[in-house]
Amino acid sequence: MKPPMKNLNLFLFLLLVLGLHLGSVLSWKKEEFRNCNQTPFCKRARARKPGFCSLIALDVSISDGDLTAKLVPKTPDNEQDPDQIKPLILALSAYQDGILRLRIDEDPSLGPPKKRFEVPDVIVPEFASKKLWLQRVSTAKIDGDAAPSSIVYLSDGYEAVVRHDPFEVYVREKSNGNRVISLNSHGLFDFEQLRAKREGEDWEERFRTHTDTRPYGPQSISFDVSFYSADFVYGIPEHASSHALKPTRGPGVEDSEPYRLFNLDVFEYIHDSPFGIYGSIPFMISHGKSRGTSGFFWLNAAEMQIDVMATGWADAESEIALPSEKSRIDTLWMSEAGIVDAFFFMGPGPKDVVRQYTSVTGTPAMPQLFATAYHQCRWNYRDEEDVEHVDSKFDELNIPYDVLWLDIEHTDGKRYFTWDRTLFPHPEEMQGKLAAKGRHMVTIVDPHIKRDDSYHVHKEATQKGYYVKDAGGSDYDGWCWPGSSSYPDILSPEIRSWWADMFSIENYVGSTPSLYIWNDMNEPSVFNGPEVTMPRDALHYGGVEHRELHNAYGYYFHMATADGLVKRGDGKDRPFVLSRAIFAGTQRHGAVWTGDNSAEWDHLRVSVPMILTLGITGISFSGADVGGFFGNPEPELLVRWYQLGAYYPFFRAHAHHDTKRREPWLFGERNTELIRDAIHVRYMLLPYFYTLFREANTSGVPVVRPLWMEFPSEEATFSNDEAFMVGNSIIVQGIYTERAKHASVYLPGKESWYDLRTGTAYKGGRTHKLGVSEDSIPAFQRAGTIISRKDRFRRSSTQMVNDPYTLVIALNSSQAAEGELYVDDGKSFEFEHGAYIHRRFVFADGKLTSVNLATTSPGKSRFSSESVVERIVLLGHAPGPKSALNEATNQKVDIELGPLWLQWGRGSSVLTIRKPGVRIGDDWTIKIL
Ligand code: NOJ
């Protein structure tokens, strides 16, 4: 069988590569991917009617601080399905801060054929210490039920209720009994227990030319989850779709697929689709005007499909009467394998839910400063000369950039950790030249390892038995860029540690400490595999089937690479690793991007909801390929993309190798100027961005936020995903159409907003029809905030470190404002030991005060900065004042009219305190006279 298969593989591979090259003219190959009807577990689950579940809860008690119970069928029918009647074990645990965890699994003492996979390494160790030990359970008959329910008090005014018959779990507010989130209220819970194969039964599943042997048979789990007092649900990335999730089933929905969570390498994905792409985060957030926000997270790495039901779906589908409630949103969650390990987050505010979720899965890593600046990438910068040319052009044209990226062609035949020595004969020298300007390089390292006996990585991995195995137990062999390849079994801690060691300067020959890493294709992508990925029956460490782990494969790879960079730097250098595949917890390991988008206006548009959704599900550091990966953007689209991308948390231009070169200087002087301006905006705002990255690092609250996160009671914001907030102070609205002359921009809240460029004030709480020019996209600073900027332009962010600051004070209707600034060495982990500056600037009663927010204690590291404040700009201040007083030194300084942006001196003048004579890290007060 083997040799012909190889030929077939080769043929398919060539076809695929050809397909890739034609990528810019062909579109998404729908038929290569399964839909729900072609996915038996999904089809089965979707066909069930409300009231299907016949389980009841028995033996409810408290044990080890948890509420435990058994779930058994109400009327066991032994003859029909003897394997499906073994009791399931349920455990409910409460945690501080309004978090409930629900676990349901088979009973190990009843000898199931195999232990089902529980995803390790996602829940942060600190979470265990938040557990509240339940002491007591009470019982009551609720709402006229014949059978009792068990009730436990959680925390923060919430109770968990386990209804015995029919089985249901929900959380309610103790004070008024209002429900927040519930599971199995519609009786759609189903748990396919592992069992012995029956005579004549066929467990194999076929899709196109692939057969999944499914040695353990059906093992899927599904259930309904309802969110109460909800107007919208959000989350469950990654999809190229709207931020507020559209219903996929029920009245008014025509034939939609559920939202699919299955990490896939989808070339040229289409926008506005529930189809699964590179990442999977099974975390959904609901939000409504009347109560606020709640969240539900299912820690499970198998393929998942999620339906969002339209109001009235149950009436349409059920023969039994179900309670219908207008402001409830029902959802159906279906997974191919694993266990139920679910978390309910009670909010009640949007930021509370994000904090609760990231207390389980971790907050985003703090990036190095350089990583928050602009990145220049292309598949591929050809050789050292090309690199040098691009690098020097940025300098010549006064465009800052921080990182130059090398894609797969820099390697010796797609053998990662090697260099094509003809094209890149002096990699260390090349990196050294960039480093001398404070710049960095990123190279790509994918998980597919070329099966070539002379390649040291392959040799070692083979000898040590470190590859994922196929269903027959041999090293799994699939096709990717290098041809025949195998994949490290990165689930194993030993293999992760081996992988991490690859990144040491000695092992990665030609690397230097200023080189960082890009992990691509880690879904994993397998060109000749089913749905372009690894077969589900492939085997991992500990006998785990690939189907159970699939969505977390890339996560482990990202983790091991980031660990490798930490090791390389002796624990002193923050890693930077960009990953395409995503899972819950990815935020701890680095940045992500939204994969292979296209140079189309719709893709520019969808990048915003995609980034917003990633942000609220923990992944703060994300961006889309600026310019669009496939195709050649018109200069206008490219410029608009830079103008928007300058506000993405991760700001990188990238392009497919078949596209025309598109560095910022290739579209005429005017477009170069516009792109330069856009990049300058990002550099000016770096102190603000860096402060937001730190906020995300401590609280989980994303750098870029949907409007509803900042204005949770304003309905007009709930489904607005054309605009977004950068932190709490800036709103940005993209321009998503050609030759736009006007834009309708909704400015939320009661306070005014100041145009970022002109300082012109606009009233909040209404939609403004604004004139738009090619110069910029609409962006405004919220009244009542203070933003820190650095207005001098250097070659890279590292060269701006000692530059002076500009503080922009946007006064609200009470002539007050406040803002924060966080600064550290931008590189090491010393900030974790207290080496940082954290200031709060408060403007009130005509005085600006800088207050220390950093906690200092003896023995802590310290960080100081010589940087001074060179300008303080006052927006919205009554005209008139001529001078200000530095109260500490008793020195008077002038207030004059000056440009809002030094670089673009044109336009209106604003009140400016020049050279107030204060250092950024000190306590001081400046009084307007
Ligand atoms: C696919 C990635 O999505 C893309 O960004 C990259 O350029 C190619 N692989 C080649 O490495």
Side-chain angles (χ1 to χ4, degrees), residues 730-756:
I730 293 178
I731 192 170
V732 178
Q733 163 95 35
I735 296 294
Y736 308 112
T737 50
E738 261 177 298
R739 291 186 285 277
K741 295 277 175 286
H742 294 99
S744 289
V745 184
Y746 178 72
L747 295 176
K750 294 191 177 66
E751 293 288 345
S752 297
W753 294 80
Y754 297 91
D755 186 303
L756 225 52

Side-chain angles (χ1 to χ4, degrees), residues 805 807 821 837 839 841 850 863-870 886 889 916-924 926:
Y805 288 85
L807 303 183
L821 174 68
I837 291 172
R839 312 296 308 177
F841 306 118
S850 174
F863 172 76
S864 63
S865 164
E866 291 305 311
S867 291
V868 298
V869 177
E870 72 171 343
N886 176 341
T889 59
V918 291
R919 293 197 322 167
I920 201 69
D922 294 345
D923 293 342
W924 42 258
I926 292 164

